[in-house]
Amino acid sequence: MKTYKISINDTKEFYKKLGCDSGGISILSKKSKLHTLYIKDLHVGAANILKQDALSIGADLAVPSGVIIARDKYVNAVLIGTTKHFETLSRKELAQPFGLKQLAAELKSYVKEHNYQTKIMGVLNANEDSFFKDSRFDNSQACQKIENMIENGANIIDIGAVSSKPGSVAVDENIELKRLKDIVDTIYKNKYYEKVDFSIDSYSPKVIDYVLNHGFKIVNDITGLKDDNVCKIAAKYNAQVVIMHMQNNPTTMQIEPSYENVILEIDEYFKNQIAKANSFGIKDIVLDVGIGFGKTLEHNLTLLKNLEHFSHFGYELLIGASRKSMIDKIVSSSIEQRLPGTLAIHLEAIRNGASIIRCHDVKEHFQAIKVFEAIDNIN
């Protein structure tokens, strides 16, 4: 007999290859993935009940000392268990008091599987103050840049005409549309939208309405649908909408950003904005935690490490950290030198649940992602 430790990603496929019967594959798969759930402000009564219920099925709840004697009314805790454990607890806690019924409903959302194809969103900027000069274009170069991106593996091309780098100032929507109009008309005339999906990086209703009427399918809104008119227009065209989180605005967002808990605050923001989108009839939603938009380095790293949390909403997750200053804060580097750091961030984001990667370097990302997927998919 010989043994070796293995890492399994696609557990169902692995057990199928192992020769397990079909009924056992589903059961074994649910026992193979471990979840660690942080619970904030849990009633001490709920903590004691949940602790005992978790232990009774082989899971566990980490709690502070003093819980057994109810020293504090509310505590923070960590629930540890497999998918099977979470499903069992989601049923057991439905009849329990102290808010456990709500927790039971939430447990189901954390273990629901979502399988999305990884997509590359290439970036093109029709403004002269974009922080990465190689993403800028004029109309004479645009067709070549678009064709190169398509050839290099882009699934989506995101076009914008207003800088959102820290300290940038908003631009009048008529100026924004003037910067974009010729290239949008060219995309429509040449039917590039039949080869790749086009996204508009804008929060201007006038701009969004124009591009959605000319072959664009996605609205990438850094304000997260703040403007009701954007919601109405997106719903009219049945467009996909990217809801991004940003603290404050581009002019002020990096002036001492602060959160009590960055994960929970962005979670609450998404909950509210999803409800708003749904109220206007928008169903096709992508979530973006907004790396670098009102976040310190620690906030960014925390979000990347815990990105899987946001999968519980059931929507695709987008990450865009391409050549951003957080890389310079880790390893001193100019914008032009940040491709390796960008790839490291984006591959880790894919591992943690992202399926759309917004980047400047399409060809390099295509190769990196294909190699990553080849390793990840081997069983």
Side-chain angles (χ1 to χ4, degrees):
M1 181 178 69
K2 296 180 180 179
T3 61
Y4 68 97
K5 188 175 180 181
I6 58 173
S7 296
I8 308 174
N9 293 305
D10 188 343
T11 54
K12 289 182 180 179
E13 185 63 27
F14 180 84
Y15 293 128
K16 184 178 179 181
K17 285 185 178 181
L18 194 62
C20 301
D21 65 71
S22 57
I25 289 172
S26 178
I27 295 170
L28 290 167
S29 180
K30 290 179 180 180
K31 291 181 177 180
S32 297
K33 183 169 183 180
L34 187 68
H35 305 274
T36 308
L37 185 70
Y38 182 82
I39 308 172
K40 189 175 186 293
D41 296 332
L42 180 67
H43 191 284
V44 69
N48 280 302
I49 293 170
L50 186 58
K51 176 79 172 179
Q52 294 307 311
D53 285 347
L55 288 171
S56 72
I57 61 171
D60 207 342
L61 183 74
V63 295
S65 60
V67 163
I68 192 71
I69 59 172
R71 187 174 63 196
D72 300 305
K73 187 174 182 180
Y74 292 95
V75 298
N76 299 330
V78 174
L79 180 63
I80 307 159
T82 64
T83 298
K84 182 66 176 176
H85 291 145
F86 274 39
E87 287 182 346
T88 302
L89 288 170
S90 73
R91 295 189 295 270
K92 288 176 72 74
E93 305 315 310
L94 279 173
Q96 298 290 7
F98 306 121
L100 286 173
K101 187 175 182 179
Q102 177 190 343
L103 178 65
E106 292 180 4
L107 287 176
K108 286 185 178 180
S109 69
Y110 284 114
V111 297
K112 189 174 182 180
E113 292 186 359
H114 306 283
N115 296 309
Y116 301 111
Q117 175 193 351
T118 302
K119 296 182 280 291
I120 297 173
M121 175 188 275
V123 179
L124 283 180
N125 292 298
N127 51 294
E128 295 180 356
D129 57 345
S130 171
F131 84 99
F132 182 50
K133 60 177 173 46
D134 287 355
S135 70
R136 303 171 196 160
F137 70 91
D138 59 39
N139 290 328
S140 64
Q141 303 170 313
C143 289
Q144 188 61 54
K145 282 188 174 265
I146 288 170
E147 289 171 7
N148 286 345
M149 280 193 173
I150 295 171
E151 182 180 347
N152 289 335
N155 306 99
I156 305 165
I157 296 178
D158 190 45
I159 299 181
V162 177
S163 176
S164 57
K165 65 183 180 181
S168 59
V169 179
V171 172
D172 181 83
E173 65 179 358
N174 292 308
I175 296 174
E176 183 182 354
L177 182 57
K178 184 178 179 181
R179 292 175 179 176
L180 288 165
K181 189 176 183 303
D182 286 349
I183 183 55
V184 172
D185 292 346
T186 300
I187 290 167
Y188 192 65
K189 179 182 176 182
N190 292 348
K191 296 185 177 181
Y192 285 129
Y193 58 85
E194 293 182 353
K195 299 180 180 180
V196 67
D197 288 341
F198 283 89
S199 167
I200 182 64
D201 180 4
S202 178
Y203 48 88
S204 160
K206 186 172 186 177
V207 170
I208 292 169
D209 187 64
Y210 188 84
V211 302
L212 291 181
N213 197 38
H214 287 77
F216 282 56
K217 296 180 180 178
I218 304 167
V219 177
N220 185 11
D221 182 0
I222 65 169
T223 70
L225 301 182
K226 182 178 180 181
D227 190 331
D228 288 0
N229 289 320
V230 170
C231 296
K232 293 174 185 175
I233 293 165
K236 180 176 75 171
Y237 289 96
N238 199 28
Q240 183 178 74
V241 171
V242 179
I243 297 176
M244 194 195 81
H245 175 271
M246 172 174 55
Q247 190 177 82
N248 299 322
N249 58 63
T251 305
T252 61
M253 63 187 181
Q254 288 306 108
I255 301 174
E256 298 183 0
S258 176
Y259 302 84
E260 180 182 342
N261 185 303
V262 68
I263 302 291
L264 293 179
E265 289 182 43
I266 293 179
D267 187 272
E268 184 67 17
Y269 171 82
F270 282 152
K271 180 181 177 182
N272 294 334
Q273 296 311 104
I274 289 167
K276 178 177 181 177
N278 291 163
S279 73
F280 281 89
I282 298 169
K283 302 297 182 184
D284 194 355
I285 294 169
V286 174
L287 303 177
D288 178 358
V289 296
I291 296 297
F293 284 82
K295 283 97 178 173
T296 64
L297 174 61
E298 183 179 358
H299 294 144
N300 290 327
L301 295 174
T302 298
L303 288 167
L304 290 165
K305 189 170 185 178
N306 298 282
L307 190 63
E308 186 185 3
H309 162 80
F310 299 101
S311 298
H312 80 88
F313 286 107
Y315 298 110
E316 288 195 75
L317 304 179
L318 181 153
I319 281 290
S322 187
R323 298 181 179 266
K324 288 191 173 179
S325 62
M326 66 170 289
I327 300 168
D328 178 55
K329 289 181 173 67
I330 299 169
V331 178
S332 181
S333 51
S334 66
I335 293 168
E336 292 73 23
Q337 296 171 330
R338 296 176 193 165
L339 177 58
T342 298
L343 291 170
I345 291 169
H346 285 163
L347 292 178
E348 185 64 15
I350 293 170
R351 183 182 301 283
N352 294 335
S355 59
I356 303 176
I357 302 300
R358 185 179 185 272
C359 62
H360 300 98
D361 308 281
V362 171
K363 187 174 184 178
E364 292 81 357
H365 274 78
F366 182 83
Q367 183 184 96
I369 290 169
K370 288 301 179 185
V371 172
F372 174 88
E373 290 178 340
I375 297 169
D376 203 46
N377 292 334
I378 196 74
N379 283 310

